Structures are given as structure tokens and as C-alpha cells.
Amino acid sequence: MRACLPIVLFAATALLAGCDQKPKEENHVSIAGKEGNVTISGNGQHMTMKADNGKTVVEVNSNGIGNAKMPDFAPLYPGAKVEATVTASENGGGTVSFKTTAQPADIIAFYKQKTGAAGLAEKLNMSSEGNLTFMAAAADGKKTVQVIAAKADTGSQVQVYWQGAK
């Protein structure tokens, strides 16, 4: 699948460039590669890339409405505007990128509460110039969460990574 990355990126760019202002229409592109196939579909506001093995799905949103399927131990922050999600069913992991009007400290406090309630212990809590990073994990290491909340002009830009949601 790594050999397909340049092709996938080119196709994704071409697909998005070819999308006009009609968000209800969808365009589909399939790319055959040595190690598998990738299907890309989109409508100018949302793009989905799926590997034919069903193990990886990438979604990119330009409309602030996402399909972030996050685990209970790391739910989506209330009021978040999802920009991109990546999920991998193989290990029950994924990542979501979103914007919010909340401040980084409020976001980290939310995830500390949610991960603590799920039995995950804090492993890292770091601050650098107002940008915050938090990590928590289950005692057996099977569930982990990492949250990076960076200051933005009107709130925060956030990435949440998780593993073990199976």
C-alpha cells in the first residue's frame, strides 16, 4: 500500500480539483496498486479513501461536519468541527483532527476526565507556549489516547489519536 501513496495523493488532488460546486454529486476514482486497491470518493466537501482490505478508511471534510467514530474512552469534544478522520479497524485505532472555540486547557481537562472515567491513567501532561499535550493509557497498554491542543486565532486546533477501541 505504501507504493500507492503518490498515486493516491495525486488522485485525491485531482478528484478534489475536479469537484465543482454541486456537493450532492459524488465522484469516484479507483486506483489499482501492487499491494491492493484504493477507492476515493468525494463531492467537494467530503472525501473518503478506502483500502480494499477494509482495514483503513481516511475521511477529509471541508464542511466542518465529520463522521468521527471515536471510542467511548476518547469521545469527540462537544461542539468540535471535524476536519479529518482516519480509522484503522485492524487495531481499533484512529485519529481525528478538529477545530473548536474552546481553549487548549479546557480540551485537555475534558479528555482527562473521559480517560480517567474509562480507567486509563495519565502518562504525559506537557505544556509549551500554551499548546498542550496529554496522553493516557490502560494499565495493560491495550488502550491509549494522545491529545494535542494547539492555540488558534479563535480557539484551538486539536488532534486526538487512539488505539484499542476494538
Side-chain angles (χ1 to χ4, degrees):
M1 196 60 86
R2 288 185 187 138
C4 293
L5 185 60
I7 295 169
V8 169
L9 292 176
F10 173 76
T13 303
L15 179 66
L16 288 177
C19 294
D20 58 16
Q21 298 299 318
K22 300 175 188 172
K24 293 185 180 181
E25 293 181 20
E26 285 217 5
N27 296 302
H28 300 276
V29 175
S30 292
I31 302 167
K34 290 180 183 178
E35 297 176 28
N37 302 317
V38 176
T39 301
I40 303 170
S41 60
N43 65 10
Q45 292 184 3
H46 179 263
M47 179 181 68
T48 302
M49 292 181 281
K50 295 180 182 178
D52 66 351
N53 64 8
K55 294 180 180 178
T56 303
V57 176
V58 177
E59 294 190 57
V60 180
N61 303 286
S62 64
N63 58 7
I65 302 169
N67 188 16
K69 296 173 185 161
M70 299 172 71
D72 292 341
F73 62 87
L76 184 62
Y77 188 83
K81 292 188 178 193
V82 175
E83 296 179 317
T85 63
V86 177
T87 58
S89 59
E90 187 172 14
N91 70 355
T95 184
V96 63
S97 175
F98 63 85
K99 287 184 179 179
T100 179
T101 57
Q103 294 301 305
D106 297 327
I107 297 158
I108 297 300
F110 172 83
Y111 284 103
K112 281 184 178 184
Q113 189 278 323
K114 294 297 182 183
T115 56
L120 280 69
E122 183 176 310
K123 298 295 180 184
L124 175 71
N125 191 3
M126 185 174 73
S127 174
S128 175
E129 298 180 19
N131 301 312
L132 305 176
T133 302
F134 168 74
M135 187 188 307
D140 63 6
K142 292 184 179 182
K143 292 181 181 179
T144 61
V145 177
Q146 180 179 4
V147 181
I148 301 170
K151 294 186 301 184
D153 291 337
T154 59
S156 301
Q157 177 69 43
V158 183
Q159 276 89 41
V160 178
Y161 308 91
W162 68 89
Q163 181 177 315
K166 283 181 125 181

